[in-house]
Amino acid sequence: MAEVLEPLRGVWAAVLTPVTAGLEPDAAKAIAYYRELLESGCDGINLLGTTGEAMSFDTGARVEFMRAIAQSGLPMDRVMAGTGSASLADAARLTKAAIELNFAAVLVMPPFFYRDASDDGILSYFEALFARVPSIGKRVLLYNFPAMSGITFHADLVDRLMANFPNTIAGVKDSSNDRGLQRELLARHRELAVFPGSEAYLGGALAYGAAGCISGSVALWPELAGRVYRNATCAGARDLSERRASLDGLPFIAAVRRRVADLRADDAWTRSMPPLVPLGS
């Protein structure tokens, strides 16, 4: 089994999933791109997250994509996978596959659709999930993105999850970018690896104890993001924030796809899974 980083830290790119004309993940195109990111300043990559359009692929396709990445020769201690699903059985299948394939961590969104789910309900979901993947180890990052899931991993809920699963939960990715929440989580659980979902305020987040960031846009400027992570007070911190702000007001995934397509001179990177469409469509 791959060595697990304790704790996970650094700048992780939440990467795009290239899509074939037949609307399947294109593993060959992905592997070359992911390798370049790991060689260009990213400490790690997170595949099949929101930027990777995971929820638009069926479970079988996600497992096969993870398998292709795991067999590619990429350093698996620097690769995590999103394994969340509204279906408990699908989340368990995805999480089990990621662990067996030696991914460094799994990023798990709470079950969505039933947005009135109680804290007790969320707790019972994770209890059932972890019971189905007993060999998971301390490799789970809770994925807090209430704008998409409708569920917030607020501090009291994280307290309960940590109390019940102290040897399973390693950290939190906070794509709500709620700095107050991040500070509160770190005050209550210094051992948590807390990752903001944006590099816009990376320097400030590092100052209050964040582990780094996991962001879909750091793939556009990995060298700069890596420099800021290693020296939060460097002159590049303002430049990094301004570059991230250049995406404000745009459909995020489409904008990142357009820029990656331009950087790679390959318009195939603009193709998303329906219902998403290329920028300007």
Side-chain angles (χ1 to χ4, degrees), residues 122-123 126 142 153 157-166 169:
I122 300 302
L123 198 68
F126 279 93
L142 302 174
F153 282 117
L157 177 55
V158 174
D159 281 352
R160 294 180 66 185
L161 288 162
M162 290 293 291
N164 283 29
F165 314 111
I169 297 171

Side-chain angles (χ1 to χ4, degrees), residues 242-263:
E242 290 175 349
R243 292 194 192 192
R244 179 61 181 81
S246 72
L247 299 172
D248 291 351
L250 297 172
F252 182 81
I253 296 171
V256 172
R257 281 194 176 279
R258 179 68 265 171
R259 295 197 186 192
V260 170
D262 291 345
L263 288 168

Side-chain angles (χ1 to χ4, degrees), residues 62-84:
R62 290 168 70 178
V63 170
E64 286 306 309
F65 187 68
M66 287 193 293
R67 182 172 291 114
I69 300 303
Q71 294 173 350
S72 69
L74 290 174
M76 295 307 292
D77 60 344
R78 298 173 65 191
V79 185
M80 67 175 75
T83 63

Side-chain angles (χ1 to χ4, degrees), residues 94-192:
L94 289 159
T95 302
K96 186 172 185 291
I99 297 305
E100 291 176 346
L101 291 167
N102 292 331
F103 280 82
V106 291
L107 186 64
V108 186
M109 183 173 278
F112 43 89
F113 187 77
Y114 293 109
R115 296 188 170 213
D116 60 349
S118 65
D119 287 1
D120 286 346
I122 300 302
L123 198 68
S124 68
Y125 176 90
F126 279 93
E127 182 176 8
L129 173 62
F130 297 153
R132 294 185 182 207
V133 194
S135 60
I136 194 168
K138 195 169 185 177
R139 289 202 252 180
V140 172
L141 294 184
L142 302 174
Y143 187 8
N144 188 52
F145 200 174
M148 301 299 283
S149 71
I151 303 293
T152 299
F153 282 117
H154 58 83
D156 288 345
L157 177 55
V158 174
D159 281 352
R160 294 180 66 185
L161 288 162
M162 290 293 291
N164 283 29
F165 314 111
N167 299 315
T168 302
I169 297 171
V172 177
K173 179 192 176 185
D174 176 37
S175 288
S176 73
N177 291 307
D178 181 339
R179 291 179 235 192
L181 173 62
Q182 294 162 22
R183 290 174 182 270
E184 183 64 24
L185 291 175
L186 286 164
R188 298 188 188 195
H189 306 282
R190 294 301 302 178
E191 72 276 21
L192 273 179

